[in-house]
Amino acid sequence: MKLIIHGGFFSEADQSNETKIAKQTALKEISLKGFQKLKNGAAAVEVVVFCVELLENDSLFNAGYGSQIQSDGKVRMSASLMDGETEKFSGVINIQDIEHPISIAQVLQKEDDRVLGGEGANLYANEKTDLGKFFDPRTDYRIADYEHKKEDLLAKNHQAGKGTVGCVALDIEGKLAAATSTGGKGFELVGRISDSATVAGNYANEHCAVSCTGVGEDIVSNATAAKIVTRVSDGFSLEKAFEKTFLELKKYDGFAGAIAIDASGNIFHHDSHPTMVWASADEGGISCFN
Ligand code: ASP
């Protein structure tokens, strides 16, 4: 049993020591809670959703409550879930005004149409689940940040938000799963699609599970998560699969980070730029970024 979570990059506007410690504490607590569930026999696919829900609740991260605001002042969130056993991928893209995008992705696992976008995702949440209740994901911090960017004529050059969250887990039965949730880059064009609800940002099979964060356009161009998983399936070690995949990102200075676990229980994480925040848990205890 193993679990690793990430909270995106530590390169958002607020890089104070206080925030760093708060992120470390939150990630450690959530990884511990998730690991406890694995120990109690919960399936990986349940535990990754559980951890991502907790991360979505925490306004320190750019997912669910505390999501980045887009250029028109609205929050649109994306999340996906992949069950490594069934190899089913489900997700929502640009869903609005709900509390837990990852929970809708979870419900969608049972559908034939498993990735829903925009209005359709909200319609599904409202009509087919009890998870569609109105919830304003904006925090005062994000609103102030958005206003600042709007006033700033250099808005186009602002730093993309990189606090996406994700979790991968290996359960007691040796099954893997991956979940990822995001508020996007912040101040993006309306209609922009994040990597987080694509197979580039979140992918799993029986051999490996991966969740990414970073600049979605780079992650999609590189097909990062799907590539790492495919390479491990074809016999690469986790480390070698990361090495080759991140080398390919270098061509265009791709900005990405990823967390992974393979079927043997190896855990790996890597980032192309400083610094992805993460925590992992197994029988040996908890590790965390510093
Ligand atoms: N990957 C996300 C996106 O581009 C952003 C992030 O990881 O923070 O939408």
Side-chain angles (χ1 to χ4, degrees):
M1 286 168 297
K2 308 256 169 168
L3 177 139
I4 181 164
I5 60 178
H6 71 74
F9 276 84
F10 191 64
S11 41
E12 287 203 76
D14 180 359
Q15 295 184 31
S16 64
N17 202 41
E18 223 171 53
T19 300
K20 183 178 171 181
I21 292 167
K23 286 192 174 181
Q24 284 170 328
T25 308
L27 290 169
K28 279 193 212 160
E29 278 175 13
I30 293 170
S31 61
L32 192 61
K33 284 184 186 158
F35 189 63
Q36 204 51 53
K37 277 205 167 269
L38 286 175
K39 276 183 36 180
N40 293 341
V45 71
E46 304 294 332
V47 173
V48 293
V49 171
F50 169 76
C51 287
V52 168
E53 279 173 353
L54 294 178
L55 289 159
E56 286 178 341
N57 285 342
D58 193 326
S59 64
L60 281 171
F61 305 106
N62 170 26
Y65 182 54
S67 283
Q68 291 271 353
I69 298 175
Q70 302 198 337
S71 55
D72 64 345
K74 297 199 169 125
V75 172
R76 294 178 185 82
M77 301 166 287
S78 300
S80 68
L81 172 65
M82 186 142 185
D83 181 335
E85 189 194 12
T86 61
E87 293 190 16
K88 280 187 179 172
F89 180 98
S90 59
V92 289
I93 294 175
N94 290 333
I95 197 165
Q96 294 186 59
D97 299 325
I98 60 149
E99 193 169 10
H100 286 300
I102 193 63
S103 311
I104 312 295
Q106 184 182 33
V107 178
L108 281 165
Q109 280 277 311
K110 65 173 194 292
E111 301 288 354
D112 288 334
D113 302 336
R114 286 193 290 274
V115 183
L116 300 181
E119 264 177 47
N122 275 101
L123 198 68
Y124 181 85
N126 283 327
E127 291 187 352
K128 301 274 177 28
T129 80
D130 54 7
L131 304 164
K133 260 188 269 86
F134 178 85
F135 178 85
D136 185 352
R138 295 173 307 162
T139 57
D140 290 346
Y141 172 73
R142 292 294 188 202
I143 292 169
D145 184 50
Y146 170 74
E147 292 302 334
H148 176 76
K149 283 170 185 162
K150 222 168 52 167
E151 279 163 26
D152 187 351
L153 289 176
L154 297 174
K156 279 192 183 137
N157 296 324
H158 79 276
Q159 262 235 323
K162 301 180 187 76
T164 290
V165 305
C167 177
V168 302
L170 175 71
D171 66 25
I172 200 160
E173 290 182 7
K175 289 168 186 161
L176 290 157
T180 305
S181 181
T182 191
K185 285 199 299 192
F187 221 78
E188 59 266 73
L189 293 176
V190 176
R192 183 246 180 196
I193 289 176
S194 159
D195 63 292
S196 299
T198 73
V199 298
N202 190 75
Y203 201 70
N205 66 11
E206 64 179 311
H207 303 288
C208 182
V210 176
S211 166
C212 295
T213 179
V215 174
E217 285 67 12
D218 295 346
I219 295 166
V220 166
S221 298
N222 182 244
T224 307
K227 257 189 198 171
I228 293 171
V229 170
T230 303
R231 285 180 168 144
V232 171
S233 306
D234 289 346
F236 278 56
S237 69
L238 211 45
E239 202 174 336
K240 287 278 171 220
F242 266 76
E243 193 182 306
K244 190 161 167 50
T245 306
F246 274 79
L247 197 65
E248 289 160 352
L249 267 174
K250 279 208 168 139
K251 204 163 130 188
Y252 42 90
D253 191 26
F255 198 127
I259 55 171
I261 303 182
D262 70 15
S264 313
N266 297 303
I267 293 194
F268 205 79
H269 62 86
H270 186 67
D271 40 36
S272 62
H273 290 70
T275 307
M276 181 178 64
V277 303
W278 60 272
S280 65
D282 61 18
E283 293 292 359
I286 296 183
S287 309
C288 183
F289 81 103
N290 54 42

